[in-house]
Amino acid sequence: MMNLESPWEFDIKKNNGGVEVVFSDLMEFAQAAPVVGNLMINGQVMTGRYGGPVLIENGYLYAPICVKRFCGTVFKIVKINCTTYESEYIGRLRHLIWLDRIEDGKIHFFDHINKSILNSYDVTN
């Protein structure tokens, strides 16, 4: 099945492996920018503004989190434990993060609208 989610259109409600994810108050932070909003995991409200699409695997949720900087807004990948709600940042800041999949202990993503170059980070503990 083909995944049609993007940083501009993604499922605002998802239930995967007993993890329920709900987005609310979605908005573009700038014209043609990715959509970000509030995130709730299993009823727990998370601090910050998150984008999509999100990936859920082995009790962890991976999502782009919006980071405001002096020169604009950027994203970083955040890994959230869906039991303790502790979070850990992965990788460097990017203007766009389009999560694709988790495979062989790596999270794969694109950082450009045309999806021309696939990047990855190790997410094993």
Side-chain angles (χ1 to χ4, degrees), residues 18 31 41 88 103 124:
Q31 186 173 353
I41 303 172
E88 162 189 351
E103 188 175 76
T124 57

Side-chain angles (χ1 to χ4, degrees), residues 74-90:
V74 291
F75 293 92
K76 194 159 192 155
I77 298 173
V78 65
K79 175 182 178 180
I80 303 171
N81 182 311
C82 296
T83 304
T84 65
Y85 306 107
E86 292 177 2
S87 60
E88 162 189 351
Y89 295 102
I90 299 171

Side-chain angles (χ1 to χ4, degrees), residues 51-85:
V54 300
L55 301 175
I56 302 167
E57 185 168 296
N58 297 329
Y60 289 92
L61 177 127
Y62 300 86
I65 187 166
C66 191
V67 179
K68 291 188 179 185
R69 297 185 41 137
F70 176 73
C71 58
T73 302
V74 291
F75 293 92
K76 194 159 192 155
I77 298 173
V78 65
K79 175 182 178 180
I80 303 171
N81 182 311
C82 296
T83 304
T84 65
Y85 306 107

Side-chain angles (χ1 to χ4, degrees), residues 11-65:
D11 295 335
I12 60 169
K13 199 171 203 182
K14 202 178 255 192
N15 196 325
N16 184 332
V19 176
E20 182 183 52
V21 177
V22 178
F23 281 92
S24 63
D25 298 325
L26 293 171
M27 62 176 260
E28 289 180 330
F29 59 84
Q31 186 173 353
V35 174
V36 296
N38 298 326
L39 177 68
M40 220 170 27
I41 303 172
N42 295 331
Q44 176 73 33
V45 177
M46 305 306 297
T47 302
R49 304 285 287 171
Y50 297 81
V54 300
L55 301 175
I56 302 167
E57 185 168 296
N58 297 329
Y60 289 92
L61 177 127
Y62 300 86
I65 187 166

Side-chain angles (χ1 to χ4, degrees), residues 107-121:
I107 188 163
H108 299 277
F109 64 96
F110 300 96
D111 61 2
H112 196 272
I113 191 170
N114 66 7
K115 295 174 79 174
S116 57
I117 299 172
L118 185 65
N119 297 286
S120 65
Y121 290 125

